[in-house]
């Protein structure tokens, strides 16, 4: 299961409209890379038959079978601060990460 805060869902709906991707779901993947082993990839996409589907705060999310064990239980948030803003993924499966916060290890 994946969840998303209302703030993240609102921001993503706006981005989806800006990109002309209305009707597409948010695909969340854990792909090999980064300095800790895996990094997150998020893109608006159509669901495939093998995808797992989740809905949170009115936004549909899809995850491929390979990424599911790596991201299950995660919460997507959007944080804004004076120095930086962006999406943050709180992943209970991550056992470590790099200093930049863009990659994780399990």
């Amino acid at each position: 299961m994946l969840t998303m805060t209302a703030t993240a869902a609102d921001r993503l709906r706006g981005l989806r409209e800006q990109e002309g991707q209305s009707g597409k779901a948010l695909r969340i993947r854990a792909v090999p890379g980064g300095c800790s082993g895996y990094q997150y990839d998020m893109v608006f996409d159509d669901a495939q038959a093998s995808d797992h589907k989740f809905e949170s705060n009115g936004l549909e999310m899809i995850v491929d079978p390979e990424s599911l064990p790596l991201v299950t239980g995660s919460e997507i948030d959007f944080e804004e601060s004076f120095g930086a803003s962006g999406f943050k993924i709180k992943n209970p499966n991550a056992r470590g990460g790099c200093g930049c916060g863009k990659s994780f290890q399990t």
Side-chain angles (χ1 to χ4, degrees):
M1 173 157 201
L2 293 174
T3 59
M4 180 178 305
T5 65
T7 303
D10 288 344
R11 186 68 127 183
L12 284 162
R13 275 192 286 278
L15 288 172
R16 185 175 60 186
E17 291 301 316
Q18 274 184 312
E19 294 180 9
Q21 300 293 321
S22 184
K24 301 230 180 196
L26 179 67
R27 178 173 298 283
I28 301 157
R29 298 188 310 160
V31 295
C35 36
S36 292
Y38 292 99
Q39 58 191 17
Y40 300 106
D41 181 44
M42 297 192 308
V43 63
F44 296 111
D45 197 8
D46 293 315
Q48 303 298 313
S50 60
D51 287 333
H52 296 268
K53 297 177 184 179
F54 304 93
E55 187 275 328
S56 184
N57 280 303
L59 195 77
E60 184 180 15
M61 297 173 282
I62 51 179
V63 180
D64 63 79
E66 294 80 26
S67 297
L68 187 63
L70 299 170
V71 300
T72 293
S74 295
E75 178 188 61
I76 300 169
D77 193 9
F78 185 82
E79 297 177 358
E80 252 181 304
S81 67
F82 181 70
S85 48
F87 292 98
K88 305 288 183 193
I89 298 179
K90 297 171 186 151
N91 185 345
N93 304 302
R95 299 293 174 236
C98 65
C100 70
K102 302 287 184 198
S103 64
F104 68 101
Q105 62 189 17
T106 57

XYZ file of all heavy atoms in Angstrom:
792
model
N 0.834 -1.181 0.000
C 0.000 0.000 0.000
C 0.881 1.248 0.000
O 1.912 1.298 0.649
C -0.898 -0.027 1.223
C -1.688 1.225 1.413
S -3.134 0.874 2.399
C -4.127 2.232 1.950
N 0.454 2.243 -0.733
C 1.116 3.546 -0.787
C 0.124 4.622 -0.397
O -1.066 4.514 -0.705
C 1.597 3.850 -2.204
C 2.699 3.002 -2.778
C 2.922 3.364 -4.224
C 3.965 3.205 -1.999
N 0.613 5.660 0.247
C -0.246 6.795 0.581
C 0.429 8.080 0.131
O 1.626 8.117 -0.137
C -0.537 6.861 2.097
O 0.689 6.981 2.806
C -1.301 5.639 2.566
N -0.380 9.117 0.084
C 0.103 10.419 -0.349
C -0.612 11.480 0.487
O -1.808 11.365 0.743
C -0.242 10.600 -1.825
C 0.191 11.907 -2.406
S -0.209 12.016 -4.153
C 0.572 10.574 -4.781
N 0.122 12.478 0.899
C -0.500 13.559 1.650
C -1.360 14.397 0.710
O -1.168 14.375 -0.520
C 0.551 14.462 2.318
O 1.309 15.122 1.292
C 1.465 13.664 3.250
N -2.284 15.135 1.284
C -3.142 16.016 0.478
C -2.307 17.069 -0.240
O -2.590 17.418 -1.396
C -4.195 16.666 1.372
N -1.269 17.561 0.406
C -0.387 18.564 -0.204
C 0.287 18.006 -1.447
O 0.331 18.654 -2.499
C 0.683 19.030 0.810
O 0.025 19.529 1.974
C 1.567 20.103 0.227
N 0.809 16.788 -1.372
C 1.465 16.158 -2.517
C 0.460 15.893 -3.631
O 0.747 16.134 -4.809
C 2.150 14.866 -2.095
N -0.726 15.402 -3.276
C -1.743 15.108 -4.287
C -2.160 16.380 -5.029
O -2.291 16.375 -6.256
C -2.952 14.438 -3.643
N -2.354 17.470 -4.304
C -2.719 18.742 -4.944
C -1.624 19.201 -5.894
O -1.897 19.634 -7.023
C -2.976 19.821 -3.891
C -4.267 19.605 -3.124
O -5.121 18.808 -3.584
O -4.414 20.223 -2.052
N -0.386 19.112 -5.463
C 0.745 19.538 -6.290
C 0.855 18.664 -7.545
O 1.089 19.152 -8.637
C 2.020 19.465 -5.456
C 3.208 20.005 -6.164
C 3.082 21.486 -6.362
N 4.282 22.084 -5.837
C 4.493 23.358 -5.792
N 3.602 24.197 -6.224
N 5.598 23.838 -5.307
N 0.679 17.360 -7.381
C 0.777 16.445 -8.514
C -0.370 16.632 -9.506
O -0.159 16.535 -10.716
C 0.848 14.999 -8.028
C 2.209 14.620 -7.469
C 2.121 13.367 -6.609
C 3.206 14.428 -8.600
N -1.567 16.906 -9.019
C -2.676 17.185 -9.934
C -2.361 18.410 -10.791
O -2.615 18.428 -11.993
C -3.979 17.379 -9.165
C -4.697 16.085 -8.852
C -6.111 16.325 -8.350
N -6.129 16.837 -6.986
C -6.028 16.064 -5.913
N -5.897 14.770 -6.017
N -6.051 16.591 -4.711
N -1.786 19.442 -10.176
C -1.391 20.633 -10.912
C -0.331 20.336 -11.953
O -0.414 20.806 -13.096
N 0.671 19.542 -11.584
C 1.728 19.161 -12.529
C 1.169 18.324 -13.678
O 1.564 18.507 -14.834
C 2.834 18.386 -11.810
C 3.726 19.194 -10.886
C 4.648 18.264 -10.096
C 4.548 20.192 -11.676
N 0.260 17.431 -13.352
C -0.335 16.572 -14.384
C -1.078 17.414 -15.414
O -0.967 17.179 -16.615
C -1.262 15.549 -13.727
C -1.830 14.533 -14.685
C -2.631 13.476 -13.985
N -3.743 14.064 -13.269
C -4.560 13.397 -12.473
N -4.381 12.109 -12.280
N -5.550 13.990 -11.859
N -1.811 18.410 -14.946
C -2.524 19.306 -15.859
C -1.551 20.127 -16.694
O -1.737 20.281 -17.907
C -3.470 20.212 -15.082
C -4.649 19.489 -14.462
C -5.517 18.769 -15.486
O -5.817 19.344 -16.551
O -5.868 17.600 -15.229
N -0.522 20.667 -16.059
C 0.496 21.454 -16.772
C 1.148 20.662 -17.891
O 1.444 21.196 -18.952
C 1.609 21.894 -15.815
C 1.342 23.156 -15.075
C 2.552 23.525 -14.232
O 3.115 22.713 -13.505
N 2.963 24.772 -14.333
N 1.387 19.383 -17.635
C 2.058 18.527 -18.608
C 1.095 17.923 -19.626
O 1.515 17.158 -20.485
C 2.819 17.410 -17.887
C 3.975 17.920 -17.059
C 4.717 16.803 -16.338
O 4.446 15.604 -16.601
O 5.573 17.125 -15.498
N -0.195 18.231 -19.516
C -1.172 17.683 -20.446
C -1.357 16.180 -20.300
O -1.619 15.485 -21.273
N -1.231 15.676 -19.077
C -1.315 14.245 -18.805
C -2.606 13.874 -18.074
O -2.646 12.873 -17.359
C -0.102 13.793 -17.988
C 1.223 14.032 -18.658
C 1.409 13.170 -19.889
O 1.021 12.015 -19.919
N 1.991 13.748 -20.925
N -3.641 14.671 -18.262
C -4.911 14.431 -17.585
C -5.381 12.992 -17.815
O -5.303 12.471 -18.916
C -5.959 15.413 -18.111
O -7.158 15.252 -17.418
N -5.836 12.354 -16.769
C -6.319 10.989 -16.863
C -5.258 9.923 -16.632
O -5.572 8.750 -16.521
N -4.007 10.314 -16.554
C -2.926 9.345 -16.321
C -2.687 9.197 -14.818
O -2.934 10.102 -14.042
C -1.645 9.806 -17.000
C -1.823 9.988 -18.491
C -0.775 9.299 -19.238
C -1.036 9.525 -20.728
N -0.303 8.626 -21.535
N -2.179 8.043 -14.451
C -1.848 7.765 -13.051
C -0.389 8.116 -12.809
O 0.399 8.266 -13.743
C -2.090 6.285 -12.746
N -0.029 8.234 -11.553
C 1.357 8.486 -11.181
C 2.065 7.144 -11.014
O 1.735 6.360 -10.131
C 1.441 9.272 -9.876
C 2.862 9.559 -9.388
C 3.573 10.530 -10.335
C 2.843 10.110 -7.973
N 3.036 6.860 -11.891
C 3.825 5.644 -11.781
C 4.998 5.920 -10.834
O 5.733 6.885 -11.005
C 4.361 5.205 -13.138
C 5.244 3.956 -13.030
C 5.635 3.417 -14.375
N 4.486 2.984 -15.160
C 3.816 1.852 -14.973
N 4.169 1.020 -13.998
N 2.796 1.537 -15.744
N 5.153 5.045 -9.846
C 6.241 5.152 -8.880
C 7.099 3.903 -9.027
O 6.597 2.780 -8.944
C 5.695 5.282 -7.450
C 4.812 6.515 -7.368
C 6.827 5.337 -6.442
C 3.826 6.488 -6.268
N 8.381 4.116 -9.258
C 9.307 2.998 -9.429
C 10.534 3.194 -8.552
O 10.923 4.318 -8.267
C 9.789 2.891 -10.881
C 8.706 2.631 -11.868
C 9.230 2.351 -13.253
N 10.193 3.343 -13.692
C 11.063 3.152 -14.666
N 11.107 2.008 -15.301
N 11.907 4.095 -15.021
N 11.126 2.078 -8.177
C 12.449 2.079 -7.543
C 13.377 1.481 -8.585
O 13.219 0.322 -8.975
C 12.437 1.249 -6.273
N 14.306 2.285 -9.082
C 15.210 1.825 -10.136
C 16.639 1.793 -9.600
O 17.014 2.615 -8.766
C 15.115 2.722 -11.395
C 13.739 2.613 -12.021
C 15.436 4.166 -11.081
N 17.437 0.833 -10.066
C 18.835 0.800 -9.636
C 19.538 2.094 -10.014
O 19.341 2.617 -11.108
C 19.420 -0.392 -10.406
C 18.243 -1.236 -10.758
C 17.108 -0.272 -10.965
N 20.307 2.626 -9.072
C 21.053 3.841 -9.341
C 21.249 4.671 -8.100
O 20.860 4.281 -7.000
N 21.815 5.820 -8.276
C 22.105 6.687 -7.146
C 23.286 6.150 -6.360
O 23.839 5.098 -6.664
N 23.676 6.856 -5.336
C 24.854 6.438 -4.574
C 24.526 5.414 -3.496
O 25.437 4.880 -2.878
C 25.573 7.653 -3.990
S 24.540 8.982 -3.450
N 23.245 5.091 -3.280
C 22.905 4.130 -2.232
C 22.300 2.833 -2.751
O 21.984 1.956 -1.970
C 21.918 4.758 -1.242
O 22.553 5.778 -0.521
N 22.098 2.719 -4.044
C 21.583 1.465 -4.586
C 20.325 1.606 -5.422
O 20.208 1.024 -6.480
N 19.339 2.361 -4.927
C 18.087 2.586 -5.649
C 17.748 4.062 -5.619
O 18.088 4.772 -4.674
C 16.917 1.823 -5.006
C 17.007 0.333 -5.136
C 17.487 -0.446 -4.091
C 16.600 -0.301 -6.302
C 17.574 -1.820 -4.202
C 16.677 -1.683 -6.418
C 17.164 -2.431 -5.370
O 17.251 -3.786 -5.473
N 17.020 4.487 -6.636
C 16.471 5.839 -6.620
C 15.024 5.775 -7.090
O 14.622 4.823 -7.763
C 17.296 6.790 -7.474
C 17.438 6.390 -8.912
C 18.481 7.239 -9.621
O 19.300 7.906 -9.003
N 18.449 7.200 -10.927
N 14.256 6.766 -6.694
C 12.848 6.828 -7.048
C 12.678 7.450 -8.422
O 13.418 8.350 -8.806
C 12.066 7.657 -6.029
C 12.129 7.097 -4.631
C 12.912 7.701 -3.655
C 11.419 5.956 -4.293
C 12.978 7.192 -2.374
C 11.476 5.428 -3.009
C 12.256 6.060 -2.058
O 12.318 5.543 -0.788
N 11.668 6.961 -9.139
C 11.300 7.514 -10.431
C 9.791 7.691 -10.409
O 9.060 6.747 -10.085
C 11.730 6.552 -11.541
C 11.407 7.075 -12.921
O 11.646 8.276 -13.176
O 10.918 6.293 -13.762
N 9.328 8.889 -10.704
C 7.894 9.162 -10.740
C 7.568 9.819 -12.078
O 8.220 10.787 -12.469
C 7.470 10.074 -9.590
C 7.689 9.478 -8.221
S 6.910 10.353 -6.832
C 7.437 12.025 -7.036
N 6.543 9.273 -12.752
C 6.134 9.789 -14.047
C 4.640 9.497 -14.228
O 4.125 8.525 -13.685
C 6.979 9.150 -15.183
C 6.765 7.662 -15.260
C 6.716 9.816 -16.503
N 3.954 10.347 -14.968
C 2.551 10.085 -15.278
C 2.503 9.080 -16.417
O 3.199 9.221 -17.423
C 1.824 11.380 -15.635
C 1.767 12.342 -14.485
C 2.482 13.520 -14.517
C 1.023 12.054 -13.357
C 2.457 14.400 -13.454
C 0.989 12.922 -12.283
C 1.698 14.104 -12.334
N 1.667 8.045 -16.261
C 1.685 6.937 -17.206
C 0.333 6.229 -17.186
O -0.467 6.392 -16.264
C 2.807 5.972 -16.799
C 3.216 5.000 -17.881
O 2.748 5.125 -19.035
O 4.019 4.103 -17.581
N 0.121 5.385 -18.203
C -1.047 4.510 -18.235
C -0.699 3.215 -17.510
O 0.434 2.730 -17.595
C -1.431 4.195 -19.684
C -1.926 5.430 -20.423
O -2.733 6.183 -19.848
O -1.491 5.645 -21.573
N -1.682 2.634 -16.835
C -1.464 1.383 -16.109
C -1.309 0.223 -17.080
O -1.935 0.194 -18.139
C -2.632 1.126 -15.160
N -0.459 -0.708 -16.703
C -0.282 -1.968 -17.426
C -1.010 -3.055 -16.640
O -1.283 -2.904 -15.445
C 1.207 -2.313 -17.542
C 2.044 -1.239 -18.213
C 1.612 -0.984 -19.640
O 1.419 -1.912 -20.414
N 1.437 0.284 -19.982
N -1.301 -4.160 -17.297
C -2.051 -5.247 -16.656
C -1.372 -5.760 -15.389
O -2.047 -6.150 -14.433
C -2.264 -6.386 -17.646
N -0.053 -5.757 -15.346
C 0.672 -6.309 -14.196
C 0.863 -5.306 -13.056
O 1.343 -5.677 -11.984
C 2.044 -6.816 -14.648
O 2.799 -5.750 -15.197
N 0.497 -4.043 -13.261
C 0.691 -3.009 -12.242
C -0.237 -3.190 -11.048
O -1.362 -3.673 -11.184
C 0.441 -1.615 -12.827
C 1.544 -1.157 -13.751
O 2.689 -1.608 -13.592
O 1.249 -0.328 -14.636
N 0.240 -2.766 -9.896
C -0.587 -2.683 -8.690
C -1.094 -1.255 -8.612
O -0.329 -0.312 -8.828
C 0.240 -3.038 -7.448
C 0.725 -4.445 -7.475
N 0.022 -5.486 -6.914
C 1.848 -4.994 -8.014
C 0.680 -6.606 -7.107
N 1.789 -6.336 -7.771
N -2.377 -1.093 -8.280
C -2.997 0.234 -8.268
C -3.361 0.636 -6.843
O -3.831 -0.179 -6.059
C -4.256 0.242 -9.129
C -3.974 -0.045 -10.581
C -5.261 -0.099 -11.374
C -4.968 -0.478 -12.814
N -6.200 -0.566 -13.588
N -3.125 1.910 -6.548
C -3.446 2.490 -5.249
C -4.083 3.851 -5.486
O -3.820 4.502 -6.497
C -2.176 2.674 -4.398
C -1.397 1.413 -4.206
C -0.356 1.091 -5.064
C -1.704 0.550 -3.172
C 0.367 -0.077 -4.898
C -0.981 -0.621 -3.002
C 0.057 -0.932 -3.863
N -4.884 4.288 -4.540
C -5.483 5.622 -4.620
C -5.333 6.276 -3.260
O -5.545 5.655 -2.222
C -6.964 5.522 -5.013
C -7.632 6.844 -5.284
C -8.146 7.520 -4.016
O -8.546 6.818 -3.078
O -8.132 8.763 -3.968
N -4.921 7.536 -3.276
C -4.772 8.282 -2.036
C -5.049 9.748 -2.308
O -4.501 10.320 -3.256
C -3.362 8.091 -1.474
O -3.220 8.737 -0.226
N -5.928 10.339 -1.530
C -6.305 11.745 -1.678
C -6.702 12.083 -3.115
O -6.358 13.133 -3.649
C -5.187 12.674 -1.190
C -5.191 12.792 0.310
O -6.199 13.181 0.908
N -4.097 12.428 0.940
N -7.429 11.141 -3.748
C -7.972 11.382 -5.081
C -6.993 11.238 -6.227
O -7.326 11.576 -7.354
N -5.802 10.722 -5.979
C -4.825 10.542 -7.054
C -4.482 9.058 -7.171
O -4.163 8.406 -6.182
C -3.555 11.350 -6.778
C -2.646 11.508 -7.986
C -3.214 12.568 -8.931
C -1.267 11.931 -7.563
N -4.575 8.532 -8.394
C -4.250 7.129 -8.621
C -2.743 6.971 -8.797
O -2.098 7.750 -9.495
C -4.955 6.595 -9.870
C -4.713 5.122 -10.087
C -5.398 4.562 -11.326
O -5.840 5.342 -12.184
O -5.468 3.334 -11.422
N -2.197 5.936 -8.149
C -0.775 5.606 -8.259
C -0.667 4.179 -8.754
O -1.499 3.329 -8.405
C -0.095 5.727 -6.895
C -0.124 7.133 -6.324
S 0.511 7.189 -4.639
C -0.889 6.550 -3.719
N 0.359 3.907 -9.580
C 0.602 2.566 -10.081
C 2.066 2.192 -9.807
O 2.951 3.037 -9.851
C 0.270 2.445 -11.580
C 0.943 3.552 -12.398
C -1.231 2.441 -11.795
C 0.688 3.493 -13.888
N 2.260 0.909 -9.505
C 3.600 0.405 -9.174
C 3.783 -0.931 -9.882
O 2.917 -1.807 -9.812
C 3.776 0.216 -7.649
C 5.154 -0.298 -7.318
C 3.490 1.515 -6.911
N 4.927 -1.112 -10.536
C 5.215 -2.383 -11.201
C 5.565 -3.436 -10.155
O 5.944 -3.104 -9.027
C 6.346 -2.210 -12.225
C 7.651 -1.807 -11.575
O 8.335 -2.684 -11.018
O 7.991 -0.610 -11.624
N 5.428 -4.725 -10.504
C 5.670 -5.798 -9.522
C 7.084 -5.809 -8.944
O 7.267 -6.204 -7.797
C 5.409 -7.083 -10.320
C 4.586 -6.675 -11.485
C 4.943 -5.249 -11.787
N 8.086 -5.390 -9.723
C 9.462 -5.405 -9.228
C 9.702 -4.317 -8.178
O 10.467 -4.502 -7.238
C 10.447 -5.224 -10.391
C 10.467 -6.378 -11.380
C 9.315 -6.335 -12.372
O 8.772 -5.238 -12.653
O 8.926 -7.410 -12.854
N 9.057 -3.176 -8.343
C 9.241 -2.058 -7.414
C 8.401 -2.190 -6.152
O 8.752 -1.631 -5.118
C 8.884 -0.733 -8.102
O 9.748 -0.475 -9.180
N 7.301 -2.933 -6.239
C 6.354 -2.994 -5.119
C 7.001 -3.347 -3.782
O 6.777 -2.645 -2.794
C 5.210 -3.952 -5.445
C 4.089 -3.967 -4.413
C 3.402 -2.606 -4.332
C 3.084 -5.049 -4.747
N 7.829 -4.403 -3.676
C 8.403 -4.707 -2.360
C 9.318 -3.608 -1.820
O 9.504 -3.496 -0.620
C 9.204 -5.989 -2.590
C 8.914 -6.458 -3.956
C 8.219 -5.371 -4.690
N 9.872 -2.803 -2.704
C 10.801 -1.749 -2.287
C 10.087 -0.476 -1.829
O 10.668 0.320 -1.091
C 11.757 -1.410 -3.433
C 12.638 -2.569 -3.905
C 13.360 -2.199 -5.187
C 13.618 -2.970 -2.825
N 8.846 -0.276 -2.268
C 8.141 0.967 -1.928
C 6.880 0.762 -1.090
O 6.260 1.735 -0.664
C 7.793 1.788 -3.204
C 9.047 2.154 -3.964
C 6.807 1.050 -4.093
N 6.509 -0.485 -0.815
C 5.304 -0.754 -0.014
C 5.385 -0.051 1.339
O 6.410 -0.097 2.005
C 5.108 -2.262 0.186
O 4.820 -2.847 -1.070
C 3.976 -2.564 1.151
N 4.304 0.607 1.723
C 4.238 1.309 2.999
C 4.736 2.737 2.940
O 4.703 3.455 3.943
N 5.181 3.183 1.780
C 5.730 4.544 1.651
C 4.635 5.600 1.624
O 3.501 5.331 1.234
C 6.546 4.657 0.358
O 7.672 3.829 0.402
N 5.023 6.795 2.040
C 4.141 7.961 1.960
C 4.857 9.035 1.157
O 6.014 9.360 1.420
C 3.811 8.505 3.346
C 2.927 9.738 3.266
C 2.731 10.410 4.609
O 3.735 10.852 5.218
O 1.574 10.483 5.038
N 4.141 9.595 0.180
C 4.687 10.676 -0.632
C 4.170 11.989 -0.071
O 2.972 12.150 0.150
C 4.270 10.526 -2.104
C 4.784 9.194 -2.644
C 4.786 11.688 -2.942
C 4.223 8.817 -3.990
N 5.070 12.919 0.142
C 4.723 14.233 0.671
C 5.383 15.291 -0.193
O 6.301 15.003 -0.966
C 5.203 14.351 2.125
C 4.602 15.551 2.854
O 3.693 16.207 2.311
O 5.062 15.835 3.971
N 4.908 16.509 -0.090
C 5.560 17.640 -0.740
C 5.879 18.645 0.346
O 5.006 19.054 1.106
C 4.659 18.285 -1.804
C 5.362 19.380 -2.552
C 6.205 19.077 -3.611
C 5.213 20.709 -2.193
C 6.874 20.080 -4.293
C 5.876 21.710 -2.862
C 6.715 21.401 -3.918
N 7.150 19.010 0.439
C 7.595 19.945 1.469
C 8.128 21.202 0.803
O 8.867 21.129 -0.176
C 8.671 19.303 2.334
C 8.183 18.097 3.102
C 9.283 17.432 3.907
O 10.445 17.875 3.846
O 8.967 16.454 4.600
N 7.740 22.329 1.354
C 8.236 23.610 0.872
C 8.925 24.321 2.017
O 8.382 24.434 3.106
C 7.073 24.470 0.376
C 7.048 24.604 -1.106
C 5.914 25.469 -1.597
O 4.765 25.178 -1.287
O 6.225 26.447 -2.294
N 10.138 24.782 1.754
C 10.861 25.542 2.752
C 11.603 26.665 2.052
O 11.655 26.721 0.825
C 11.841 24.642 3.519
O 12.867 24.194 2.665
N 12.199 27.521 2.819
C 12.909 28.665 2.262
C 14.044 28.230 1.343
O 14.230 28.772 0.268
C 13.463 29.541 3.403
C 14.191 30.753 2.906
C 13.510 31.787 2.300
C 15.569 30.838 3.018
C 14.183 32.893 1.824
C 16.250 31.937 2.549
C 15.555 32.979 1.951
N 14.785 27.221 1.739
C 15.956 26.794 0.977
C 15.671 25.815 -0.144
O 16.385 25.768 -1.134
N 14.615 25.015 -0.007
C 14.343 23.996 -1.020
C 12.909 23.509 -0.888
O 12.297 23.605 0.166
C 15.298 22.822 -0.843
N 12.398 22.992 -1.970
C 11.089 22.370 -1.933
C 11.077 21.211 -2.919
O 11.831 21.191 -3.890
C 9.979 23.370 -2.248
O 10.272 24.116 -3.394
N 10.249 20.223 -2.621
C 10.160 19.066 -3.504
C 9.421 17.923 -2.844
O 8.986 18.011 -1.699
N 9.281 16.860 -3.614
C 8.599 15.675 -3.117
C 9.554 14.871 -2.256
O 10.724 14.715 -2.573
C 8.096 14.831 -4.298
C 6.998 15.504 -5.055
C 7.274 16.200 -6.210
C 5.694 15.465 -4.593
C 6.273 16.845 -6.908
C 4.684 16.118 -5.275
C 4.973 16.806 -6.437
N 9.019 14.366 -1.167
C 9.781 13.538 -0.231
C 9.035 12.217 -0.079
O 7.822 12.204 0.070
C 9.893 14.191 1.155
C 10.459 15.587 1.145
C 11.925 15.589 0.859
C 12.439 17.027 0.936
N 13.749 17.194 0.412
N 9.767 11.139 -0.128
C 9.166 9.829 0.060
C 9.665 9.258 1.373
O 10.864 9.093 1.577
C 9.500 8.883 -1.117
C 8.922 9.478 -2.401
C 8.954 7.485 -0.854
C 9.193 8.686 -3.648
N 8.722 9.003 2.261
C 9.038 8.388 3.552
C 8.820 6.887 3.373
O 7.692 6.428 3.285
C 8.145 8.958 4.640
C 8.357 10.449 4.836
C 7.332 11.063 5.758
C 7.525 12.570 5.772
N 6.303 13.291 6.032
N 9.919 6.148 3.288
C 9.882 4.733 2.947
C 10.351 3.892 4.140
O 11.525 3.939 4.502
C 10.772 4.493 1.727
C 10.720 3.076 1.223
O 10.250 2.172 1.883
N 11.246 2.875 0.026
N 9.452 3.093 4.731
C 9.856 2.266 5.876
C 10.807 1.137 5.492
O 11.422 0.529 6.363
C 8.527 1.704 6.392
C 7.642 1.683 5.194
C 8.047 2.887 4.377
N 10.944 0.853 4.200
C 11.842 -0.209 3.733
C 13.277 0.270 3.556
O 14.181 -0.542 3.417
C 11.346 -0.773 2.401
C 9.927 -1.258 2.503
O 9.622 -2.116 3.308
N 9.047 -0.677 1.717
N 13.470 1.567 3.526
C 14.812 2.125 3.335
C 15.615 1.971 4.623
O 15.200 2.412 5.683
C 14.718 3.587 2.927
N 16.759 1.349 4.514
C 17.636 1.139 5.676
C 18.780 2.128 5.716
O 19.558 2.143 6.643
C 18.188 -0.288 5.662
C 17.121 -1.344 5.728
C 16.418 -1.331 7.073
N 15.290 -2.258 7.059
C 14.046 -1.913 7.335
N 13.754 -0.680 7.642
N 13.089 -2.796 7.304
N 18.871 2.928 4.700
C 19.913 3.932 4.626
C 19.728 4.741 3.361
O 18.906 4.417 2.513
N 20.468 5.805 3.263
C 20.377 6.663 2.088
C 21.615 7.513 1.968
O 22.520 7.463 2.791
N 21.636 8.291 0.923
C 22.784 9.170 0.709
C 22.480 10.553 1.282
O 21.345 10.849 1.646
C 23.111 9.251 -0.773
S 21.825 10.028 -1.750
N 23.464 11.384 1.325
C 23.315 12.721 1.884
C 22.381 13.605 1.097
O 21.742 14.490 1.661
N 22.251 13.372 -0.198
C 21.388 14.231 -1.021
C 19.917 13.862 -0.875
O 19.056 14.631 -1.288
C 21.819 14.182 -2.492
S 21.493 12.610 -3.309
N 19.611 12.682 -0.335
C 18.233 12.274 -0.145
C 17.542 11.756 -1.388
O 16.341 11.539 -1.393
N 18.264 11.533 -2.457
C 17.673 11.091 -3.719
C 17.730 9.583 -3.909
O 17.081 9.043 -4.786
C 18.369 11.759 -4.912
C 18.331 13.254 -4.877
C 16.970 13.779 -5.198
C 16.990 15.287 -5.255
N 15.723 15.892 -5.156
N 18.528 8.878 -3.128
C 18.617 7.437 -3.300
C 18.547 6.744 -1.938
O 18.713 7.373 -0.899
C 19.888 7.056 -4.065
O 21.036 7.391 -3.330
N 18.290 5.427 -1.986
C 18.132 4.674 -0.742
C 18.641 3.251 -0.929
O 18.849 2.787 -2.032
C 16.661 4.668 -0.302
C 15.740 3.882 -1.207
C 15.331 2.604 -0.862
C 15.275 4.426 -2.392
C 14.491 1.882 -1.678
C 14.417 3.708 -3.223
C 14.031 2.439 -2.865
N 18.838 2.581 0.193
C 19.200 1.170 0.176
C 18.243 0.418 1.070
O 17.655 0.986 1.983
C 20.650 0.958 0.616
C 20.935 1.405 2.029
C 22.407 1.371 2.343
O 23.238 1.313 1.469
N 22.733 1.410 3.617
N 18.090 -0.873 0.775
C 17.171 -1.711 1.574
C 17.949 -2.740 2.339
O 19.113 -2.962 2.098
C 16.140 -2.409 0.676
O 16.812 -3.181 -0.299
C 15.228 -1.405 0.023
